Every structure is written in C-alpha cells, then in structure tokens.
Amino acid sequence: ARLALTHLATAIITHCEYAHTLVQQHFHCADNVFVIPHGHFIDVYPNTISRSEARRQLGIATDQFVYLFFGNVRAYKGLENLLETFVRLPGEQQTLLLAAKVYNDYGDQFVKHARQTDSRIIVSPSRFFANDAFQLYFKAADVGVFPFLDVLTSGSTITALSFGLPVIVPAVGCLPELVDERVGICYDQQQPDALYAAMHAIVNIG
C-alpha cells in the first residue's frame, strides 16, 4: 500500500535527508521527493512558568541537576537503558524526571519498575498531558534525554528544543541533522557506554 501511494503521489515530503534517502531506496522515488524540516513548537505551548516555580510544584530542589524524559512509554524508546544508565551516575544531586505517557500494561510495569529502581527518580505518569502542563516538566529540567533504540523523527526532542532545553539523543534517523553541539549531544549508540558518557558530560557543559 505504501509503495502504491508513493507512486500515486504528486509530491512526497520527508523531514530530513536521511528519510529522503530511505524513500528513494524503498519506494524507488526520486524526482518528486522534497525535504522540509520538521517545524518547531516555539510559542505553541504555554511557557509562562518560571524554573523555580516548576521545581517547587514538582518537589525538586533548586540545586538538583534534572534529566527529563517526556513522552509515550514504548519499547523502542530505550527507557530500560535510561534507568540502568542513570542508576550508575554518582551523586545525590542528580534527578531523573519521567513524564511518562502510559496507556498499556507495558507502561504500567515500567512505571512500577522505575519507582523501585532509585530514590532519585521522580515518575509522573499520565494517559494525557494537557498542553499547559508541558511547561512544568520542560522548565524544571536541565536536559532532555531521549535514548531511542530506533526512530526516524522525534516530536519530544523538538518540543524540548522549543523550550530552550538541550537534549541528549542517539545518532539515528533524522536526529543527527537536528542536534549538534550547539543544542546538545548526539551520541553513537554503537559505542560502549555512550549514553552514560553523554549524561555524565552534559553536566559540565555550560
């Protein structure tokens, strides 16, 4: 069906050059494929709360360094790896904030596991986060961490960047074209302990 649709389409839009290449390889299209980068979400979500107020509402001290994951709890998000990596980070000044969209048994089990893993982990599960709630989590954090096992584009990453939050992401899909050293760390997930190295390094980056 996808092959038929691509050949019926007058134009095909991809969000990055990597996706452009995939369309050419899998659907044998060339002349009618165009790259239009994913738009940002600046000013789309309310952004009126201060960092200190966001942390007060979440019960996070002002001197904590906060890693945030925000999004759906799914297997490809690499959340088990995130928990395992965070536990190894030294110091009581580190907090992992999980704004977890949960809608199935897998998500429920993950939330239960996360709460039992480390006292420095704060889990805020919900089936739905209202638009005006986004700012609470993104403003409270120091960095967004999205350790996908595999992905093409990421709305959560773009949302974090739209709030001015640096990010840590793997070099997969469109992400290397979105994240460079100006806005975060894009790590090679094939390298041993790459996520740990990135999470450790980001603390010292101004």
Side-chain angles (χ1 to χ4, degrees):
R2 292 177 180 175
L3 185 62
L5 284 173
T6 54
H7 284 275
L8 287 170
T10 301
I12 300 169
I13 297 171
T14 66
H15 286 320
C16 66
E17 292 295 341
Y18 175 76
H20 186 179
T21 301
L22 289 181
V23 170
Q24 291 177 315
Q25 290 176 348
H26 293 283
F27 303 118
H28 315 295
C29 300
D31 296 335
N32 62 335
V33 184
F34 303 91
V35 176
I36 301 178
H38 196 303
H40 63 70
F41 298 132
I42 298 173
D43 296 330
V44 171
Y45 300 106
N47 188 6
T48 58
I49 195 172
S50 67
R51 173 187 172 92
S52 59
E53 177 59 19
R55 291 197 169 197
R56 186 193 68 78
Q57 291 190 32
L58 292 170
I60 300 173
T62 57
D63 60 348
Q64 291 294 106
F65 188 91
V66 179
Y67 302 90
L68 168 70
F69 171 83
F70 185 102
N72 295 322
V73 176
R74 294 179 176 172
Y76 77 89
K77 297 294 184 81
L79 294 175
E80 288 81 3
N81 186 29
L82 176 58
L83 293 185
E84 293 170 2
T85 302
F86 176 76
V87 167
R88 294 165 50 210
L89 290 172
E92 291 302 315
Q93 301 304 110
Q94 318 273 11
T95 295
L96 176 59
L97 175 60
L98 301 172
K101 294 182 182 180
V102 178
Y103 51 89
N104 56 24
D105 289 342
Y106 174 79
D108 291 336
Q109 290 301 314
F110 171 78
V111 167
K112 180 179 179 180
H113 175 59
R115 284 174 168 161
Q116 297 173 345
T117 296
D118 193 310
S119 61
R120 299 174 299 166
I121 297 175
I122 298 174
V123 188
S124 182
S126 177
R127 289 187 177 274
F128 174 76
F129 289 99
N131 286 354
D132 61 358
F134 281 42
Q135 60 178 328
L136 180 64
Y137 300 100
F138 287 103
K139 296 297 286 290
D142 291 288
V143 61
V145 187
F146 306 100
F148 304 104
L149 302 179
D150 189 24
V151 76
L152 189 57
T153 60
S154 167
S156 295
T157 299
I158 293 171
T159 303
L161 295 175
S162 298
F163 274 95
L165 187 68
V167 295
I168 296 173
V169 296
V172 296
C174 294
L175 296 181
E177 298 176 47
L178 179 66
V179 177
D180 59 22
E181 65 278 0
R182 297 172 297 174
V183 297
I185 297 177
C186 190
Y187 63 91
D188 181 358
Q189 62 184 187
Q190 301 303 317
Q191 295 298 316
D193 270 350
L195 177 58
Y196 179 90
M199 293 179 70
H200 188 270
I202 200 76
V203 177
N204 299 313
I205 295 176

